[in-house]
Amino acid sequence: MKIVIKADKARFEKYMPAGKTDEYDISFFNLEASNEEILEKSADADVIVVDAIGVVDAELINAMPNLKLIHSEGVGFDKIDTKAAVARNIPVCNNKGINAASVAEHVILLSLALLRNSVAAHLEELNGKQIELKQSMMIEGIKELGDCTVGLVGFGDIAKETAIRLNAFGCKVFYWNRNKRSDDIEKKYNVIYKELDELLAVSDIVSIHVPVTKETKGMVNEQFLDKMKESAYLVNTARGEMVDNEALKDALIKGKIAGAGLDTIAPEPTPKDHILFNLPKDLKARVIFSPHIAGISTGTFKRSQERIWKNIKNIETGVKLENVVNMA
C-alpha cells in the first residue's frame, strides 16, 4: 500500500510506530507541496495523511485513481474537500478527541495567566519593578480561578475535559451548544446550559470550543464581544477563524473586555504585522498569545499515530473505520 504523508516529516517520524517504513511505501511532502509535486511522485497512492491545517483539494483527490482513504493527522479537517471525496466514495477520517486533555490544560494555563497578569508580572520582574507591580496588583485585586464563572461555547470532547478541570478548581461552569446535552451528561460534567447571550453576560471567562463551519466563522464579532462583561476574558484554543480580529482589537481598546488568551489567530502562519500584535502599549500585556500549541503534547501525537495506522490497517482488511467525518 502506498501512502502520501503531507506533514512535517521529522515530527511525523518521531511518533510513527517502528516498522511502518518497511510495511508501507511512504512518501513525505511538506505543507507547501503543490498538487503537481505530489502527483508526479505519488499519483497512484492509496492513502493521504495530512496535517490538520494542510490542504487536500478536489483537484488532488480526482487525480489519484487508487485513493481509498484521506486521514487528518489532527482533529481539524476543514481544508480537506470532503464533498469531492464523497463523490468518489472515499472516506475522510479525523482524530476526534485525541487532543482534548492537552487543549483543556492549555485553557487552564491561559485563564490563570490572564487572571494573574502573568505577562506584565514577568516583564516587570525583569525590569526590577517587583515591589511596584506587587503593590498595584494587590490594590487592583487578583481573582482566583475558583471564584470565576466560566462559559464554554460549544460542548464537545475538549469542552468536556475543560469542564472536569474547571470543576477541580471550584468554578461554576456554564455551557452553550447548538444542541443541549442530556441531563446525564450535564450531571456527569457538572455543567449548566445557558443560551449564548445569557452565558456571555454572566461569564468571567468565555472559552471557545466550536468547530470551524460556515456558521461559526467570525462568530466572535462586535455583537458577541458587546455582550460580554467588561471584566471578562476571552480564551480561544479552537481556531482563529472564529474571531473577528478587528472587532477584538476594538473591544480591547475600548475596554469592552478585560483581555484575551489566544492560542490560535487567523491567518496561519501568523504574520509579524498582525493586527492584534499592534495594540497600544498599555494593552499589550492583557493579551496572551501562544503559537497554536494547545493540542500538540506528546500524548496527543502518540494517540494520533495509533488511530491513523489502525485506520490504514482497517482500510486494508475491510474493517470498519473510526471517526469517518464525510459519510453516514
Side-chain angles (χ1 to χ4, degrees), residues 95-110:
N95 271 311
K96 180 180 181 294
I98 56 155
N99 64 352
S102 181
V103 178
E105 287 185 5
H106 208 77
V107 173
I108 302 300
L109 169 70
L110 292 174

Side-chain angles (χ1 to χ4, degrees), residues 53 235 327:
I53 63 170
V235 173
M327 297 179 181

Side-chain angles (χ1 to χ4, degrees), residues 104-120:
E105 287 185 5
H106 208 77
V107 173
I108 302 300
L109 169 70
L110 292 174
S111 299
L112 289 170
L114 289 166
L115 292 168
R116 300 276 169 165
N117 202 13
S118 293
V119 172

Side-chain angles (χ1 to χ4, degrees), residues 14 84 115 141 155 212 217 318:
K14 177 179 179 178
L115 292 168
F155 202 68
V212 179
K217 281 184 180 180

Side-chain angles (χ1 to χ4, degrees), residues 1-3 23-26 45-47 68 312-313 315-316:
M1 181 168 280
K2 194 165 186 177
I3 300 171
E23 188 177 353
Y24 298 102
D25 181 359
I26 300 173
D46 302 281
V47 176
K68 302 174 182 66
I312 289 172
K313 183 59 72 176
I315 207 77
E316 282 186 287

Side-chain angles (χ1 to χ4, degrees), residues 97 99-105 107-108 152 155-168 188-189 209:
N99 64 352
S102 181
V103 178
E105 287 185 5
V107 173
I108 302 300
L152 305 176
F155 202 68
D157 295 319
I158 294 170
K160 289 172 183 175
E161 290 292 328
T162 303
I164 291 170
R165 288 153 179 78
L166 292 169
N167 281 317
K188 178 179 178 180
Y189 293 99
H209 297 281

